[in-house]
Amino acid sequence: MKIKSGASSPTVPELDARVRRSKEAVLTVTHQMMSETGLSGVSIDEVSKRSGVAKTTIYRHWPSRADLLLEACSKLGGKTEAPDTGSFRGDIELLVKEFASRLRMAPAAKILPSIVDAAEHDAKIAKLLHAQVHAGIMAPLYEVIERARTKGEVSRDQNASHLIAHIAGPLVFRRWFSGEPLDETFIHAIVENAILAEQTVRRR
Amino acid sequence: MKIKSGASSPTVPELDARVRRSKEAVLTVTHQMMSETGLSGVSIDEVSKRSGVAKTTIYRHWPSRADLLLEACSKLGGKTEAPDTGSFRGDIELLVKEFASRLRMAPAAKILPSIVDAAEHDAKIAKLLHAQVHAGIMAPLYEVIERARTKGEVSRDQNASHLIAHIAGPLVFRRWFSGEPLDETFIHAIVENAILAEQTVRRR
């Protein structure tokens, strides 16, 4: 059966815009619910109710609740630009401050533990967490280290992934595990440690 | 009303032993369920079914599900003894290996993320996580650092909590966030970093 597009029917660009708007509304509500209750508290019923988007429409875009959660989670990382202050120390300092501030304030900091928890029981979510969320959030750190290497500020022998674990690890540890503050003294200690580690690799 | 203890009634020590056994059975099953599904998957119904302990008995020991979860979680930390190899480096090396192995294998490693997640939404669980679980697991590290200070192996200027975040943080970061392996090279890098950080504090 062929349907002729009449004057009162929406055009293709209008339809596209509508689809985009409803998808955005669903993702925004999903994010809100994730930060309120964690992943386990998100139900399609409630997302539909709050976003005003029909359940049938939601299921047309995301075949299952897991697919919606995966897409919502995939938007969590990778919004920080790699800084370029002119020095490795300056760049690291800015990034550690930025991460600390996001860990203290951003809704994502409340959501991530429920993704980490879900990853323990679901291989798809684990893959998304490691390959997409982690890689996205850490991308500016990798970029800053790579640039410093090209400029000769950081030794080629420095293992970028080890260095990053020593920069981001202590922040993550305090925010989610010990509950101690991400204060100025602590941020300073992390930056000093990163510079020190790099100098030692160089001296070997 | 007074009840005379007859020959067939259980004596007080027997009753105590029964109570202890049923509490242990409930806590064991709760642990199992926590590692299978995370905190959110634990229901009193299911705990009662699997442990064979009546719901009324469970509620007599733990007035609410939250109380049971709190006690089960509080048993997660603090089983590692502080080693005494004769040197700070040797002690740290043993502890990092021990932590890495527990993070790779122990059921607690599967449970902790759901406690971290729950702590985001529940102040009681947050307090338990920070003050009890974290403090219990990190106790041997604090003990080893304190002993090294007394012996003069570690400077009094070294901030123990900063040092611990640089030892445990990278492990936690890889295990729960980046998904990279806790391999020999990585463990070695963490130990070297800890020794280096200490030497630098000393040289200042």
Side-chain angles (χ1 to χ4, degrees):
Chain A
M1 188 176 75
K2 273 193 178 178
I3 298 173
K4 254 196 169 177
S5 158
S8 62
S9 303
T11 62
V12 171
E14 271 168 9
L15 259 179
D16 282 354
R18 261 192 223 175
V19 165
R20 209 170 41 242
R21 273 197 305 274
S22 73
K23 283 186 85 168
E24 267 165 26
V26 168
L27 284 171
T28 304
V29 165
T30 305
H31 267 136
Q32 276 166 3
M33 292 186 63
M34 273 162 45
S35 66
E36 285 164 23
T37 58
L39 244 64
S40 60
V42 180
S43 73
I44 298 286
D45 274 343
E46 189 65 22
V47 169
S48 165
K49 214 178 287 175
R50 287 215 214 168
S51 65
V53 176
K55 277 172 69 176
T56 48
T57 310
I58 297 178
Y59 280 118
R60 198 155 53 234
H61 298 311
W62 298 278
S64 73
R65 174 181 169 276
D67 292 299
L68 170 60
L69 290 181
L70 281 173
E71 180 161 350
C73 292
S74 73
K75 308 272 183 214
L76 284 177
K79 276 162 209 157
T80 309
E81 288 281 310
D84 192 358
T85 63
S87 77
F88 178 59
R89 175 190 285 270
D91 292 348
I92 292 292
E93 205 163 354
L94 263 186
L95 279 177
V96 172
K97 279 184 184 164
E98 165 74 16
F99 283 150
S101 143
R102 282 175 73 186
L103 280 171
R104 275 190 301 249
M105 319 265 288
K110 276 191 99 64
I111 300 173
L112 267 171
S114 74
I115 302 179
V116 171
D117 179 32
E120 290 295 324
H121 311 284
D122 183 325
K124 255 192 183 174
I125 295 185
K127 204 180 154 194
L128 174 97
L129 171 66
H130 303 149
Q132 225 169 307
V133 179
H134 155 256
I137 297 176
M138 291 305 138
L141 256 181
Y142 275 102
E143 197 179 323
V144 156
I145 293 172
E146 193 43 44
R147 189 199 301 132
R149 271 176 161 168
T150 312
K151 287 166 64 184
E153 275 187 295
V154 163
S155 159
R156 285 270 156 208
D157 295 339
Q158 180 60 266
N159 182 318
S161 150
H162 287 180
L163 190 55
I164 284 172
H166 278 90
I167 293 171
L171 290 170
V172 163
F173 178 80
R174 279 207 167 181
R175 170 64 178 83
W176 284 312
F177 196 53
S178 79
E180 293 159 292
L182 306 179
D183 54 20
E184 282 297 313
T185 330
F186 188 60
I187 288 173
H188 180 73
I190 294 174
V191 174
E192 289 307 313
N193 187 277
I195 302 297
L196 181 69
E198 165 46 25
Q199 286 168 349
T200 316
V201 168
R202 193 171 284 273
R203 242 183 277 128
R204 279 202 299 243
Chain B
M1 192 173 76
K2 274 193 178 179
I3 298 174
K4 254 196 169 177
S5 161
S8 63
S9 305
T11 63
V12 170
E14 272 169 10
L15 259 180
D16 282 354
R18 261 195 223 174
V19 165
R20 209 169 42 241
R21 274 198 304 274
S22 73
K23 283 186 86 169
E24 267 166 25
V26 167
L27 285 171
T28 304
V29 165
T30 305
H31 266 136
Q32 276 166 2
M33 292 188 62
M34 272 162 44
S35 66
E36 284 164 22
T37 59
L39 244 65
S40 59
V42 180
S43 72
I44 297 287
D45 275 343
E46 189 65 21
V47 169
S48 165
K49 213 178 288 175
R50 288 216 214 166
S51 65
V53 177
K55 278 171 69 174
T56 47
T57 310
I58 297 179
Y59 280 119
R60 198 157 53 235
H61 298 312
W62 299 278
S64 72
R65 174 180 168 277
D67 292 300
L68 169 61
L69 290 181
L70 281 172
E71 181 162 351
C73 292
S74 73
K75 308 272 183 215
L76 283 178
K79 278 163 210 158
T80 309
E81 287 281 309
D84 193 356
T85 63
S87 77
F88 179 58
R89 175 190 286 269
D91 291 348
I92 292 292
E93 205 162 352
L94 262 186
L95 279 178
V96 172
K97 279 184 183 163
E98 165 75 16
F99 283 150
S101 143
R102 281 175 73 186
L103 280 171
R104 275 190 301 250
M105 320 266 285
K110 277 191 99 64
I111 300 173
L112 267 171
S114 75
I115 301 179
V116 171
D117 180 32
E120 290 294 325
H121 313 283
D122 183 325
K124 253 192 185 174
I125 294 185
K127 204 180 154 195
L128 173 96
L129 171 65
H130 302 150
Q132 226 170 307
V133 180
H134 156 255
I137 296 176
M138 291 304 137
L141 257 181
Y142 275 102
E143 196 179 325
V144 155
I145 294 172
E146 193 43 45
R147 189 199 301 133
R149 271 176 161 168
T150 312
K151 287 166 65 183
E153 275 187 296
V154 163
S155 158
R156 285 270 156 208
D157 295 340
Q158 179 60 266
N159 183 318
S161 151
H162 287 182
L163 190 55
I164 284 172
H166 279 89
I167 293 170
L171 290 170
V172 163
F173 177 81
R174 281 206 166 182
R175 171 62 179 81
W176 284 311
F177 196 52
S178 79
E180 294 159 291
L182 306 179
D183 53 21
E184 281 298 314
T185 330
F186 188 60
I187 288 172
H188 180 73
I190 293 175
V191 174
E192 288 306 314
N193 187 278
I195 302 297
L196 181 69
E198 165 47 25
Q199 285 168 350
T200 316
V201 167
R202 194 170 284 272
R203 245 183 276 128
R204 278 203 300 244

